[in-house]
């Protein structure tokens, strides 16, 4: 029963044959890799939503736009709500991932995040957005007459969240909040650097947790392969095949099982492995 590595974009092309033992090591590791994929995809969605949010805020910086305040508020609903949901999803995914590797460093980072008032309140806003209604309930606009720049605040009143009967932790955090007006864009701006720090620490701990035999296999096989005709393939799929019968050309095989690794994440992981082993 042959085992191969392939490029998932070109499944009909065999890059290299590998040993059964190597396949089985990678197969076991792939379960752990899936957990980290979830963290990475969550952070990518957060980052994409943050870029959309920043573009939105930048667009409305000048008073040359002709939209009414109500229309600006309506347009703010999607970028602000997306950031709030995805930043919480990223933290939750990271916490779930760390329940497997039990890294004290990741745990410490999450504990630091959870102490931030902005994180506590944005979690309550996330829960409100999912279970009740859109979180952007009001907007204020100020214009700097010297620079012609506009400053916006998009907010929700604390009492709106409390009246929705939040869970015990959210209710406690809301009652401890000194202000009645929750300015959502200010809170989003406060947590950005902290989430990037958590993402980097999670990658670092993930790399440390990869078994040495997996690192050796990835170091040996996972890279870009160039062919004589100039084509280039990236080995991000490990394939187990089985015999399908005999033909005039010899024995034919069909794919029985494929272990797929996201190429972007795998390339990042392998680059770090090479930097440590070369």
């Amino acid at each position: 029963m042959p085992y191969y590595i392939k490029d998932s974009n070109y499944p009909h092309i065999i890059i290299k044959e590998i040993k059964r033992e190597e396949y089985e090591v990678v197969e076991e590791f792939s379960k752990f890799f899936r957990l980290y994929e979830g963290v990475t995809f969550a952070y990518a969605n957060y980052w994409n939503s943050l870029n959309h949010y920043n573009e939105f805020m930048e667009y409305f910086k000048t008073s040359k736009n002709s939209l009414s305040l109500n229309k600006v508020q309506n347009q703010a609903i999607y970028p602000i709500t997306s950031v709030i949901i995805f930043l919480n999803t990223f933290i939750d995914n990271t916490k779930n991932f760390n329940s497997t590797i039990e890294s004290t460093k990741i745990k410490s980072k999450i504990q630091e995040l959870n102490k931030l008032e902005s994180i506590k309140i944005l979690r309550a806003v996330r829960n409100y957005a999912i279970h009740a209604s859109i979180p952007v309930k009001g907007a204020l606009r100020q214009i700097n007459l010297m620079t012609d720049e506009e400053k916006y605040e998009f907010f929700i009143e604390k009492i709106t969240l409390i009246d929705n009967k939040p869970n015990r932790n959210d209710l406690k955090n809301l009652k401890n909040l000194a202000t009645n007006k929750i300015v959502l864009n200010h809170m989003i701006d406060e947590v950005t650097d902290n989430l990037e720090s958590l993402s980097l620490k999670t990658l670092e701990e993930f790399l440390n947790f990869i078994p040495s035999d997996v690192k050796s296999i990835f170091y040996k096989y996972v890279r870009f392969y160039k062919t004589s005709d100039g084509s280039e393939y990236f080995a991000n799929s490990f394939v187990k095949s089985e015999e399908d019968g005999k033909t005039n050309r010899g024995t034919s095989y069909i794919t029985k099982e494929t272990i797929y690794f996201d190429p972007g994440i795998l390339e990042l992981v392998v680059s770090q492995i090479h930097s440590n082993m070369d």
Side-chain angles (χ1 to χ4, degrees), residues 147-162:
T147 63
D148 206 31
E149 283 191 348
E150 292 187 353
K151 182 180 178 180
Y152 284 89
E153 291 184 349
F154 301 99
F155 62 88
I156 185 171
E157 298 290 345
K158 180 170 70 172
I159 190 63
T160 302
L161 299 178
I162 292 176

Side-chain angles (χ1 to χ4, degrees), residues 65-275:
N65 77 77
S66 58
L67 293 179
S68 67
L69 182 58
N70 186 59
K71 287 185 177 179
V72 174
Q73 177 184 324
N74 288 340
Q75 290 198 18
I77 290 170
Y78 178 77
I80 289 178
T81 305
S82 296
V83 172
I84 291 170
I85 288 175
F86 283 124
L87 73 84
N88 278 286
T89 301
F90 166 62
I91 295 171
D92 291 344
N93 274 250
T94 304
K95 186 177 179 180
N96 178 57
F97 170 75
N98 198 48
S99 67
T100 298
I101 70 171
E102 297 181 338
S103 162
T104 56
K105 293 180 180 179
I106 294 176
K107 183 179 180 180
S108 177
K109 282 285 184 185
I110 293 174
Q111 287 174 339
E112 288 175 17
L113 271 174
N114 287 335
K115 290 177 183 177
L116 296 176
E117 184 177 71
S118 51
I119 286 291
K120 294 176 182 178
I121 300 305
L122 287 176
R123 184 175 294 117
V125 174
R126 184 275 306 268
N127 292 337
Y128 174 83
I130 291 175
H131 300 295
S133 181
I134 56 174
V136 183
K137 298 298 186 183
L140 293 174
R141 173 166 52 195
Q142 297 175 329
I143 300 176
N144 188 320
L145 298 179
M146 299 293 292
T147 63
D148 206 31
E149 283 191 348
E150 292 187 353
K151 182 180 178 180
Y152 284 89
E153 291 184 349
F154 301 99
F155 62 88
I156 185 171
E157 298 290 345
K158 180 170 70 172
I159 190 63
T160 302
L161 299 178
I162 292 176
D163 285 347
N164 190 55
K165 298 180 180 179
N167 64 49
R168 186 182 302 174
N169 283 336
D170 288 349
L171 181 61
K172 177 183 175 182
N173 293 329
L174 289 166
K175 286 185 174 180
N176 289 337
L177 185 64
T179 180
N180 289 318
K181 185 195 297 179
I182 300 170
V183 182
L184 300 170
N185 44 309
H186 290 180
M187 291 200 163
I188 289 171
D189 294 341
E190 286 175 9
V191 304
T192 302
D193 290 341
N194 290 284
L195 291 187
E196 184 175 6
S197 176
L198 176 60
S199 175
L200 292 173
K201 181 55 65 179
T202 305
L203 170 61
E204 179 185 314
E205 291 299 284
F206 168 69
L207 292 170
N208 290 336
F209 197 80
I210 298 175
S212 58
D213 53 355
V214 173
K215 289 180 179 179
S216 297
I217 292 169
F218 280 0
Y219 182 85
K220 182 179 179 181
Y221 293 115
V222 179
R223 61 180 184 271
F224 285 95
Y225 292 82
K226 288 187 177 180
T227 61
S228 56
D229 64 358
S231 300
E232 190 173 67
Y233 305 102
F234 182 63
N236 70 310
S237 292
F238 289 72
V239 179
K240 176 167 67 175
S241 62
E242 64 180 7
E243 189 173 317
D244 189 37
K246 303 288 184 179
T247 68
N248 293 333
R249 294 184 176 182
T251 305
S252 65
Y253 295 89
I254 59 171
T255 297
K256 184 178 180 182
E257 188 175 275
T258 299
I259 304 170
Y260 167 83
F261 294 95
D262 178 83
I265 301 173
L266 185 60
E267 188 177 354
L268 173 63
V269 168
V270 171
S271 70
Q272 294 296 318
I273 291 174
H274 274 267
S275 67

